[in-house]
């Protein structure tokens, strides 16, 4: 204030009148004012310049003498700015100060930094402050600040900002063109940027995501559904890159759906090596993971039935066995084998067989508990592991399964099949801890179930049946072998009589007995199953064929005279064995067997199980003059359909129907209908098991062509010790 | 603290709107664009209330232009803008939005100071004119920070920090062609000054208040 007062007073009085003291102060103040680095000048109420400092002199080029005492408009005739003039007015009339910025009022006063800039009309950037000074009369102090440096800084700032912006745009362009999703956050984990891939993967737009916490936008769960705590904090705190969370992350999208992602996280450092944020890179691996899952699934499952495969079954069995060690807990292993699968496969084709397996799998799955294991072990074999299951419960489950399969009808086109399952059961206790033994025991029990007539559940018992059976079978094996080597078989025969008298042939069914060690006769029912099991049936069939042909050759005249026809049984094994076929045709030639003197009997089941090979087998031998009978017809299947495919001559009605046909009207009807069907198809019918005259009478009524049984003739030895036919 | 009556507040609002009219005229002329200013509301609050209030209205980070005044009544006049609004306002006024950074450059601070100066001068000047009183003003000052800081650091030389203070809070709408900005004009006055203002209002409007 002192300065201003002095200044103002100095303007009122001529300088020579001042006192010494005043003069000194005036000198000081004018020195200070002149030394000032800003422009200072003073206007009085009439706009007359009262003070004009050195800075103003050098910047405007107007000397103090040319300025002081003149009005503002005289000094600056070209300054017409209303804003400046009004501001001066406001200060003088209303005592109000003003600031005039360079931005809003560029270059108000004609001031120049240097003489050269003046010649170039390069005006000084200036900020003007106008301040009223209220003392005796109101004055107006005008301060002018050179803001060129600030303007330069402003330009620099703008230039750098634009550069930065351009760089940022460049980076963004790079980030948005890469295939991975990128999100960056600040040190608090708040999102600063995300690229368009990140937007589309998360479902968030960048506008919404900015400043939200990363967890909200990138909310991930582990594969088992647990929320995954993000280590952004850790990353920021320690600067370490956390080990990636593996490839099993599930991302919750904005819309509530989920996708599989793979991610990695890294800290962002500035030039001072301080962490300024975190960058998260991730990608949608749904497809890749789905593929991997599929591959894994396929490695563990049977592609047809979608059940576990053998490898997984074995692995789980190992685990199950391990779990029983030292614990008193009982599990069970079931081995299942379908009984009639082959028939379906052969009569209707693989597509039907596959469908049957699928449907059976579903039935099986219905009968086990959640933590049990069901697998397809191969072909028509299945395995089940029953977890923590006492043996009585286990047998109940096995029987329910057996019943369910028995009750089930497989329908294919116009055909309907009933099937069965043989189930072997083994208890898993801490005594029998060898997985291999377990599997073979279950397998053996399943065979035992098949042996005892199929559609059975057989519990494996280590001490009794199995060991004994195994032992017994091994004995049979060597005994049959020995009998084949030593000709210890005897041919038997049973007469088949024509009920229709027009047939003058003598029909005999050729039967077989085995001679035991002590010379006793062993019936076929005792050794045939073992022979079937050990693959010896073809050998037995050959033995029979060779010996009967030899016999026929030896008694040729007698046989031709009596018009004998020998019906020889062929096993299923033989039917599917090309070598035996060769063998038979060669033997036919060798022994000069008369056409029409040989029939072959094949069982319905054997024929259908090997339908295609049976078919060619039959055709070839028929061409060689042999006839064919379908044995046990009606026992296996209720369908006649496949009969059309088999070019047989005789239909042998299953003895089980014949036996009871007198008392059981259903059996009677069965025999009747089989007979009728046979006749419609131009086949001769034969009834077995004709045990009394009543049956014979009924058969005559129905019109069956041939009969065989105890009521007609019991089986008798066909040859003597040397193989010659007994007359 | 002293309260102004509703009528007094309305009257004050009217008077200030006259000033706003002047300010908008000069701003419009300066920037060559229609600038509208209005004071839709006048409130009296304690300093503490004012801080809370401004915090909730303006946000934590604010930009302020202050002018101290003395005379028939005295105090500090502050023009407050939310930080982002001040940026928007300046860039709209100087017709330059090339600067992407989220702070005012020093040149822009000067410009905003000038805008504040024009508005504050117009408002206070119109009061002085109408009351036919002389008011003395200091040069405007720019500051930026939290609401607390602004109010603490701006305890005026003319009002003692210990004396109970009233705050006149005037909401102000600032609209340009494309920009709509809200600002707040506050007058910090102590009790005596507030009473003086009240007296002036009564004197001017007569017993009608």
């Amino acid at each position: 204030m002192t300065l201003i007062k002095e200044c103002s007073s100095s303007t009122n009085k001529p300088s020579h009148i001042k006192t010494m003291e005043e003069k000194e102060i005036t000198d000081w103040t004018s020195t200070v004012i002149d030394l000032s680095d800003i422009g200072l000048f003073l206007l009085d109420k009439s706009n007359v310049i009262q003070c004009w400092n050195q800075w103003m002199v050098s910047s405007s080029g107007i000397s103090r003498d040319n300025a002081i005492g003149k009005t503002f408009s005289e000094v600056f005739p070209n300054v017409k700015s209303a804003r400046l003039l009004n501001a001066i007015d406001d200060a003088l009339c209303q005592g109000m100060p003003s600031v005039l910025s360079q931005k809003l009022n560029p270059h108000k006063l004609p001031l120049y930094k240097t003489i050269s800039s003046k010649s170039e009309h390069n005006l000084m950037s200036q900020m003007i402050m106008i301040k009223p000074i209220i003392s005796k009369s109101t004055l107006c102090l005008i301060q002018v600040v050179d803001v060129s440096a600030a303007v330069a800084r402003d330009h620099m700032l703008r230039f750098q900002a634009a550069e930065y912006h351009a760089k940022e745009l460049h980076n963004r362009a790079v980030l948005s063109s890469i295939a991975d999703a990128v999100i960056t956050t600040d040190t608090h984990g708040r999102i600063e940027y995300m690229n368009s891939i990140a937007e589309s993967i998360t479902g968030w737009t960048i506008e919404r995501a900015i400043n939200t916490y990363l967890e909200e936008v990138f909310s991930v769960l582990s594969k088992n559904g647990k929320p995954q705590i993000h280590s952004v904090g850790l990353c920021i705190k320690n600067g370490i890159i956390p080990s990636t969370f593996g490839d099993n992350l599930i991302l919750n999208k904005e819309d509530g759906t989920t996708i599989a992602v793979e991610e990695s996280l890294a800290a962002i450092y500035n030039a001072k090596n301080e962490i300024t944020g975190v960058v998260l890179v991730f990608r949608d691996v749904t497809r890749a993971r789905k593929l991997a899952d599929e591959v894994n699934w396929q490695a563990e499952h049977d592609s047809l039935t979608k059940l576990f495969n053998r490898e997984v079954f074995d692995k789980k069995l190992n685990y199950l066995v391990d779990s029983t060690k030292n614990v008193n807990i009982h599990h069970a292993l079931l081995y299942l084998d379908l009984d009639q699968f082959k028939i379906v496969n052969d009569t209707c084709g693989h597509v039907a067989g596959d469908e049957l397996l699928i449907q059976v799998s579903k039935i099986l799955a219905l009968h086990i508990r959640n933590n049990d294991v069901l697998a397809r072990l191969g072909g028509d074999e299945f395995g089940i592991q029953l977890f923590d299951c006492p043996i009585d419960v286990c047998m109940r489950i096995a029987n329910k399964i057996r019943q369910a399969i028995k009750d089930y009808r497989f329908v294919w086109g116009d055909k309907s099949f009933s099937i069965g399952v043989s189930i072997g059961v083994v208890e898993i206790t801490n005594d029998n801890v060898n997985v291999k033994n377990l599997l073979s025991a279950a397998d053996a029990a399943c065979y035992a179930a098949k042996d005892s007539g199929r559609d059975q559940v057989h519990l494996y018992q280590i001490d009794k049946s199995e060991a004994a059976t195994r032992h017994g079978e091994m004995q049979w094996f060597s005994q049959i072998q020995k009998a084949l080597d030593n000709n210890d078989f005897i041919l038997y025969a049973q007469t088949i009589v024509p009920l229709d008298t027009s047939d003058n042939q003598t029909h005999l069914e050729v039967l077989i007995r085995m001679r035991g060690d002590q010379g006793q006769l062993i019936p076929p029912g005792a050794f045939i199953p073992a022979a079937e099991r050990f693959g010896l049936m073809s050998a037995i069939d050959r033995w029979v064929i060779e010996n009967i042909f030899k016999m026929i050759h030896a008694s040729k005249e007698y046989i031709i005279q009596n018009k004998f026809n020998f019906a020889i049984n062929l096993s299923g094994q033989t039917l599917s064995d090309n070598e035996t076929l060769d063998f038979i045709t060669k033997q036919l030639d060798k022994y000069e067997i008369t056409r029409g003197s040989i029939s072959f009997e094949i069982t319905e089941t054997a024929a259908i199980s090997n339908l295609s090979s049976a078919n060619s087998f039959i055709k070839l031998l028929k061409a060689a003059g042999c006839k064919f009978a379908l044995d046990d017809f009606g026992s296996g299947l209720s369908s006649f359909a496949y009969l059309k495919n088999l070019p047989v001559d005789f239909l042998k009605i299953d003895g089980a129907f014949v036996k009871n046909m007198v008392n059981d009207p259903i059996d009677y009807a069965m025999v009747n209908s089989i007979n009728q069907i046979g006749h419609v198809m131009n086949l001769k019918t034969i009834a077995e098991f004709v045990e009394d005259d009543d049956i014979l009478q009924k058969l005559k009524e129905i019109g069956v062509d041939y009969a065989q049984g105890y009521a007609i003739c019991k089986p008798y030895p066909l040859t003597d010790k040397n193989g010659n036919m007994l007359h | 603290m002293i309260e102004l009556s509703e009528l007094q507040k309305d009257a004050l609002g009217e008077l200030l709107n006259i000033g706003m009219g002047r300010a908008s005229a000069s701003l419009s002329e300066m920037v060559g664009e229609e600038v509208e200013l209005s004071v839709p509301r006048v409130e009296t609050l304690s300093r503490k209330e004012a801080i809370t209030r401004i915090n909730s209205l303006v946000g934590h980070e604010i930009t302020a232009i202050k002018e101290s005044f003395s005379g028939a009544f005295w105090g500090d006049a502050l023009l407050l803008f939310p930080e982002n609004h001040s940026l928007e306002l300046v860039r709209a006024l100087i017709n330059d939005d090339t600067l992407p950074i989220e702070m005012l450059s020093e040149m822009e601070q000067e410009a905003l100071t000038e805008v504040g100066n024009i508005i504050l001068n117009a408002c206070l000047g119109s009061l002085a004119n109408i009351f036919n009183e002389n008011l003395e003003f200091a040069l405007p000052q720019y500051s930026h920070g939290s609401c607390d800081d602004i109010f603490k650091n701006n305890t005026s030389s003319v009002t003692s920090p210990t004396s109970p203070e009233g705050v006149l809070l005037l909401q102000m709408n600032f609209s340009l062609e494309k920009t709509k900005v809200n600002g707040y004009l506050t007058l910090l006055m102590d009790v005596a000054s507030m009473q003086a203002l009240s007296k002036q209002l009564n004197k001017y409007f007569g017993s009608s208040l």
Side-chain angles (χ1 to χ4, degrees), chain A residues 82-83 90 94-105 127 129 134 147 150-151 153-154 157-158 161, chain B residues 29-30 94 96 98-101 105-108 110-111 114-115 117-118 121 125 129 135-140:
Chain A
R83 165 78 181 126
D90 281 350
Q94 307 209 32
M96 288 193 296
S98 294
V99 170
L100 275 71
S101 66
Q102 161 71 17
K103 279 267 180 207
L104 291 172
N105 312 275
M127 196 256 284
M129 289 179 280
I134 300 166
V147 293
V151 169
R153 283 195 295 274
D154 195 72
L157 187 64
R158 273 163 209 280
Chain B
E29 194 186 332
M30 273 169 66
I94 62 182
D96 179 3
T98 58
L99 204 56
I101 51 169
S105 74
E106 50 189 317
M107 302 302 290
E108 288 172 334
E110 271 174 22
E114 182 174 352
V115 171
N117 175 227
I118 290 169
N121 276 3
N129 264 345
L135 287 179
E136 230 180 297
F137 304 92
L139 275 168

Side-chain angles (χ1 to χ4, degrees), chain A residues 131, chain B residues 47 66-78 124 134-139 141 151-166 186-194 196:
Chain A
K131 198 177 172 347
Chain B
R47 178 194 278 259
K66 187 192 79 172
E67 257 182 58
S68 299
F69 59 95
S70 57
F73 52 98
W74 56 93
D76 292 330
L78 287 107
L124 294 168
N134 277 330
L135 287 179
E136 230 180 297
F137 304 92
L139 275 168
Q141 286 174 345
F151 276 80
K152 222 172 274 162
N153 297 339
N154 284 289
T155 306
S156 158
S157 47
V158 287
T159 56
S160 139
T162 47
S163 69
E165 274 181 6
T186 63
L187 300 179
L188 264 77
M189 293 183 280
D190 64 14
V191 172
S193 169
M194 199 76 111

Side-chain angles (χ1 to χ4, degrees), chain A residues 609-683:
Chain A
S609 301
N610 307 279
L611 197 60
S612 57
S613 58
N615 220 317
S616 49
F617 197 102
I618 293 169
K619 279 180 182 159
L620 264 165
L621 289 179
K622 279 187 82 165
C626 303
K627 296 197 166 169
F628 272 86
L630 203 51
D631 204 359
D632 296 342
F633 189 80
S635 65
L637 289 155
S638 50
S639 168
F640 291 101
Y642 48 79
L643 198 52
K644 284 198 254 181
N645 300 323
L646 290 168
V648 295
D649 310 285
F650 301 98
L651 214 49
K652 260 186 127 166
I653 302 162
D654 191 355
F657 301 125
V658 178
K659 214 162 53 178
N660 298 322
M661 67 181 289
V662 175
N663 303 318
D664 188 334
I666 295 172
D667 283 350
Y668 178 89
M670 286 296 289
V671 174
N672 194 8
S673 57
I674 291 171
N675 184 59
Q676 280 177 21
I677 294 262
H679 286 167
V680 168
M681 297 178 81
N682 271 329
L683 307 178

Side-chain angles (χ1 to χ4, degrees), chain A residues 343-584:
Chain A
I343 294 170
V344 173
N345 224 11
D346 287 349
T347 52
C348 303
H350 289 293
V351 181
D354 287 353
E355 182 57 32
L356 172 62
L357 289 173
I358 290 168
Q359 295 196 11
V360 165
S361 302
K362 285 177 184 160
I363 296 171
L364 297 179
L366 280 178
H367 288 84
I368 59 166
R369 302 159 306 169
N370 271 347
N371 50 354
D372 294 333
V373 176
L374 169 62
R376 181 179 175 209
L377 302 181
D380 55 349
E381 290 161 19
F382 296 87
I384 294 174
Q385 292 164 30
L386 296 173
F387 183 77
D388 189 13
C389 190
I391 197 62
D392 54 328
V393 177
C394 164
M395 289 305 279
R396 206 154 62 227
I397 293 174
N399 264 309
K400 269 190 185 163
I401 291 173
R402 185 193 56 76
Q403 191 63 45
I405 300 289
K406 193 187 178 183
D407 292 344
Y408 166 68
R409 292 285 174 280
F410 176 66
V411 179
W412 189 258
D414 55 348
K415 295 170 197 165
S416 159
F417 299 87
S418 55
I419 49 170
V421 64
S422 299
I423 306 177
V425 180
V426 185
E427 238 184 316
I428 307 172
T429 62
N430 43 22
D431 306 326
N432 54 0
V433 287
N434 186 316
V435 171
K436 255 191 184 162
N437 292 351
L438 272 175
L439 280 168
S440 62
D443 191 17
C446 183
Y447 264 116
K450 271 208 183 304
D451 269 0
S452 42
R454 302 169 192 276
D455 184 31
Q456 303 278 326
V457 176
H458 186 90
L459 175 64
Y460 175 87
Q461 281 161 320
I462 196 137
D463 308 315
K464 304 174 212 160
S465 66
E466 172 59 14
T469 312
R470 273 280 150 103
H471 183 67
E473 279 184 357
M474 289 315 289
Q475 273 195 330
W476 279 124
F477 180 67
S478 52
Q479 202 175 343
I480 294 166
Q481 290 273 33
K482 218 165 76 189
L484 284 167
D485 292 345
N486 301 339
N487 274 330
D488 273 340
F489 292 105
I490 301 162
L491 292 173
Y492 264 58
Q494 190 178 27
T495 312
I496 303 168
V497 294
L499 302 178
D500 168 10
T501 47
S502 69
D503 187 341
N504 54 3
Q505 272 197 313
T506 312
H507 295 268
L508 296 178
E509 179 177 0
V510 177
L511 303 170
I512 192 170
R513 300 289 184 268
M514 187 164 80
R515 219 191 320 267
D517 290 341
Q518 276 82 41
Q520 84 279 20
L521 284 181
I522 301 164
F527 63 88
I528 295 290
E532 276 176 341
R533 170 71 57 88
F534 295 115
L536 295 172
M537 273 317 293
S538 290
I540 293 176
D541 285 348
R542 287 180 198 207
W543 187 92
V544 170
I545 288 161
E546 185 162 21
N547 282 279
I548 202 89
F549 284 10
K550 231 186 252 174
M551 183 206 79
I552 292 170
H553 188 69
S555 316
K556 205 172 180 180
E557 278 177 27
Y558 172 70
I559 285 164
I560 292 170
Q561 248 173 37
N562 289 286
K563 294 191 171 176
F564 275 108
N565 176 281
F566 298 97
I568 303 165
N569 287 286
L570 288 180
S571 68
Q573 253 170 49
T574 300
L575 275 182
S576 52
D577 178 4
N578 285 329
E579 277 180 38
T580 312
L581 180 63
D582 277 354
F583 173 81
I584 296 172

